[in-house]
């Protein structure tokens, strides 16, 4: 990994960056020699990566992005394509002076990072796909997809809906271990600008382009991580998709859909080994 282009620092610095999807908030954490840019899932913010960044603070400097309409990124209220999200991630890298970086994310974040790796592989040292959907197709959304999009617009203020999302996303034991994040998850969604949050959710679910058929075109080293108990994207299907990546590795970890929360130690160990191998290569 290349040396980072901004000063090493303890703690977290917050930067706001103009992008094609509006101003995005990016937190910079860690002090290691490499650069890792991470984007979260829909209905979560960059705080899902906090423990991961702490565990690997000596390995990399992390740029933790809030997606539009989520966390501290206000969003514009308009819908957008996956390719536009990829360009927004590149805009963050440009603003921070990062010519190249490891890019990745969870679910939506993995899709966004994959768009960067497909469109601008010269900017990507390695790709990290965590709990990333392979077959989201906006031309054929299922009933569940429509319900999530509807809920993000109409029901996100209701605790029972957020509890349902939490049951799908996280192992209950993980939330009990990380009560501070559990409270933050509810607070972020309860306070969100619902039309703007919903526009982002609709963009991912109802305008998505399947990734599975494009995996063969990835040319960068890729680590694909999946939760063993992820009911949204079953392990067997994810493992089959990983075989399509020319320079890919696949690793199952305990937990459901948000692996950096459910299995932070396992994910940190996998990333440490993967990044060391990529640097050596």
């Amino acid at each position: 990994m290349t040396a980072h282009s901004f000063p090493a620092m303890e703690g977290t610095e917050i930067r706001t960056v103009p992008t094609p999807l509006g101003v995005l908030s990016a937190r910079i954490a860690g002090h290691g020699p490499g650069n890792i840019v991470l984007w979260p899932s829909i209905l979560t913010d960059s705080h899902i990566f906090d423990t991961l960044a702490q565990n690997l603070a000596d390995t990399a400097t992390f740029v933790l992005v809030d997606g539009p309409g989520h966390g501290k990124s206000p969003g514009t209220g308009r819908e957008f394509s996956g390719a536009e999200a990829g360009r927004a991630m590149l805009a963050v890298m440009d603003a921070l002076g990062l010519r190249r970086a490891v890019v990745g994310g969870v679910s939506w974040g993995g899709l966004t990072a994959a768009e960067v790796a497909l469109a601008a592989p010269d900017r990507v040292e390695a790709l990290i796909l965590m709990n990333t959907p392979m077959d989201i197709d906006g031309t054929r959304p299922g009933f569940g997809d429509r319900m999530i999009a509807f809920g993000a617009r109409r029901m996100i203020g209701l605790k029972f809906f957020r509890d349902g999302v939490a049951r799908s996303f996280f192992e209950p034991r993980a939330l009990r271990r990380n009560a501070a994040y559990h409270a933050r998850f509810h607070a972020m969604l309860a306070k969100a600008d619902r039309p703007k949050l919903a526009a982002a959710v609709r963009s991912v679910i109802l305008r998505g382009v399947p990734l599975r058929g494009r995996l063969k075109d990835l040319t960068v080293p890729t680590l694909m991580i999946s939760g063993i108990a992820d009911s949204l994207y079953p392990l067997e299907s994810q493992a089959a998709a990983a075989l399509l990546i020319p320079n890919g590795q696949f690793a199952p970890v305990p937990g459901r859909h948000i692996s950096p929360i459910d299995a932070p130690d396992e994910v940190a160990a996998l990333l440490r080994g993967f990044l060391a191998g990529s640097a050596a290569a």
Side-chain angles (χ1 to χ4, degrees), residues 233-241:
Y233 307 112
L235 189 67
E236 294 80 4
S237 178
Q238 296 294 93

Side-chain angles (χ1 to χ4, degrees), residues 71-97:
K72 300 296 184 182
S73 295
T76 65
R78 74 170 182 86
E79 295 182 24
F80 50 84
S81 68
E84 287 179 284
R87 290 194 288 272
M89 180 178 269
L90 282 170
V92 172
M93 291 172 60
D94 290 340
L96 298 179

Side-chain angles (χ1 to χ4, degrees), residues 41-45 70 148 152 156 165 169 185 188-189 197 201:
S41 166
I42 61 169
L43 305 179
T44 71
D45 64 11
H70 293 68
I148 292 172
I156 206 69
V165 173
F169 277 15
F185 166 79
M188 188 275 291
L189 291 179
L197 177 91
V201 172

Side-chain angles (χ1 to χ4, degrees), residues 20-22 68 75-85 87 108 138 149 153 195-208:
L21 302 185
T76 65
R78 74 170 182 86
E79 295 182 24
F80 50 84
S81 68
E84 287 179 284
R87 290 194 288 272
W108 174 26
R153 179 67 174 88
K196 292 178 179 178
L197 177 91
V201 172
R202 287 197 305 273
S203 298
V204 177
I205 292 177
L206 304 183
R207 296 191 60 180

Side-chain angles (χ1 to χ4, degrees), residues 13-256:
E13 175 189 356
I14 298 177
R15 301 282 290 271
T16 54
V17 179
T19 79
L21 302 185
V23 172
L24 296 184
S25 175
R27 296 184 302 126
I28 302 171
H31 50 79
N35 306 302
I36 301 179
V37 183
L38 295 178
W39 185 296
S41 166
I42 61 169
L43 305 179
T44 71
D45 64 11
S46 62
H47 288 283
I48 63 172
F49 301 119
D50 283 359
T51 302
L52 182 63
Q54 291 166 7
N55 288 345
L56 296 178
D58 62 328
T59 299
T61 301
F62 285 81
V63 179
L64 308 177
V65 183
D66 284 342
H70 293 68
K72 300 296 184 182
S73 295
T76 65
R78 74 170 182 86
E79 295 182 24
F80 50 84
S81 68
E84 287 179 284
R87 290 194 288 272
M89 180 178 269
L90 282 170
V92 172
M93 291 172 60
D94 290 340
L96 298 179
L98 300 181
R99 171 59 191 159
R100 300 183 75 226
V102 175
V103 301
V106 171
S107 197
W108 174 26
L111 292 172
T112 300
E115 293 288 352
V116 175
L118 289 165
D122 58 312
R123 304 290 303 273
V124 176
E125 293 180 4
L127 175 64
I128 302 166
L129 303 178
M130 293 181 269
N131 322 94
T132 300
M134 295 291 121
D135 302 304
I136 283 183
D137 187 349
T139 65
R140 297 182 299 171
F143 176 76
D145 295 331
R146 293 192 181 95
M147 285 304 297
I148 292 172
F150 174 80
R153 179 67 174 88
R154 299 292 184 183
M155 302 168 67
I156 206 69
L158 302 176
K159 186 175 182 299
F160 84 87
F161 179 79
R162 299 195 303 272
D163 283 338
V165 173
R167 284 192 295 272
S168 295
F169 277 15
F170 309 103
E171 282 280 5
R173 288 173 295 180
L175 292 182
R176 288 196 293 270
R177 284 196 310 267
N178 197 340
Y181 174 73
H182 192 190
R184 185 183 291 276
F185 166 79
H186 276 280
M188 188 275 291
L189 291 179
K191 295 175 182 176
D193 183 316
R194 295 177 199 176
K196 292 178 179 178
L197 177 91
V201 172
R202 287 197 305 273
S203 298
V204 177
I205 292 177
L206 304 183
R207 296 191 60 180
V209 176
L211 181 57
R212 188 181 299 266
R214 298 182 288 159
L215 293 174
K216 66 183 185 302
D217 299 321
L218 290 171
T219 59
V220 301
T222 301
L223 173 63
M224 188 170 164
I225 294 173
S226 293
I228 291 170
D230 188 347
S231 61
L232 298 175
Y233 307 112
L235 189 67
E236 294 80 4
S237 178
Q238 296 294 93
L243 294 174
L244 303 174
I245 303 172
N247 190 8
Q249 301 177 33
F250 180 74
V253 297
R256 296 183 183 175

